[in-house]
Amino acid sequence: MADRLTFTLHELVAEIDAYADDALRTRHGVTFSVFEFLAVLADAQPADMTTLARCLGVTKAAVSKRVPALVEQGWVLARNAPGEGRSIRLSLTSRGADLVRIAGDDLEAEFRSVIATSADAGGIAALNGQLNTLTDLFRRKNSAPPPTNTPHERGDLE
């Protein structure tokens, strides 16, 4: 365990992702990576590849490479957007939407069960609220203009 918040958070996310990957493979036959792609698309649909890439925090090329397999597997629909040149709009199929809903509910129940061993229901709600607050703080910070006089610009960091 790390004694720095940034490292501890990364360790926690890695453990959560590994737990989710195992649960999704076992119960639904998909990886966490596929589930995450579909769950993000569910929130952003219909989305073009550029928008989806931004939401996933990956490159447009990474999304473009992954889409054909997800279409072939019946999770995603890809349609040319009328009047938008070569732009392709992505959305979930009913099968993809069902997976996101059912597997998402399963993961939520699993995570609550794990956390419930050390917290009551009110504690889980409070933790979720705190995590949402932290996420929002960093989201706003990430969208703010960069500072004009950083330590590196001042020569504090070499």
Side-chain angles (χ1 to χ4, degrees), residues 1 6 10 15 18 21 35 55 66 92-93 102-103 106 127 129:
M1 296 275 206
T6 52
H10 280 282
E15 292 300 326
D21 190 67
F35 174 78
C55 291
R66 179 160 242 187
L92 294 178
T93 62
I102 293 166
D106 286 351
L127 174 61

Side-chain angles (χ1 to χ4, degrees), residues 2-106:
D3 60 353
R4 292 181 178 259
L5 178 62
T6 52
F7 298 130
T8 301
L9 288 172
H10 280 282
E11 285 179 321
L12 173 60
V13 169
E15 292 300 326
I16 289 171
D17 289 352
Y19 185 88
D21 190 67
D22 183 59
L24 289 164
R25 285 175 189 267
T26 302
R27 293 184 187 96
H28 301 281
V30 297
T31 62
F32 177 69
S33 177
V34 167
F35 174 78
E36 180 181 32
F37 187 102
L38 299 175
V40 169
L41 177 56
D43 285 342
Q45 69 182 336
D48 61 21
M49 292 200 196
T50 302
T51 300
L52 187 56
R54 188 176 59 251
C55 291
L56 287 165
V58 299
T59 65
K60 182 179 173 183
V63 171
S64 297
K65 188 174 183 176
R66 179 160 242 187
V67 166
L70 295 174
V71 168
E72 186 178 306
Q73 294 165 1
W75 301 117
V76 173
L77 292 172
R79 297 187 187 114
N80 288 334
E84 294 187 30
R86 298 184 321 167
S87 183
I88 297 173
R89 291 284 176 191
L90 304 172
S91 58
L92 294 178
T93 62
S94 59
R95 179 176 181 240
D98 288 346
L99 176 74
V100 168
R101 181 179 45 78
I102 293 166
D105 288 348
D106 286 351

Side-chain angles (χ1 to χ4, degrees), residues 90-142:
L90 304 172
S91 58
L92 294 178
T93 62
S94 59
R95 179 176 181 240
D98 288 346
L99 176 74
V100 168
R101 181 179 45 78
I102 293 166
D105 288 348
D106 286 351
L107 282 178
E108 181 71 14
E110 284 287 327
F111 290 172
R112 284 180 176 272
S113 175
V114 169
I115 294 169
T117 61
S118 63
D120 61 17
I124 293 172
L127 174 61
N128 191 54
Q130 292 166 340
L131 293 173
N132 278 315
T133 298
L134 286 172
T135 301
D136 187 54
L137 287 170
F138 280 98
R139 186 173 287 135
R140 283 188 276 143
K141 190 74 169 165
N142 287 335

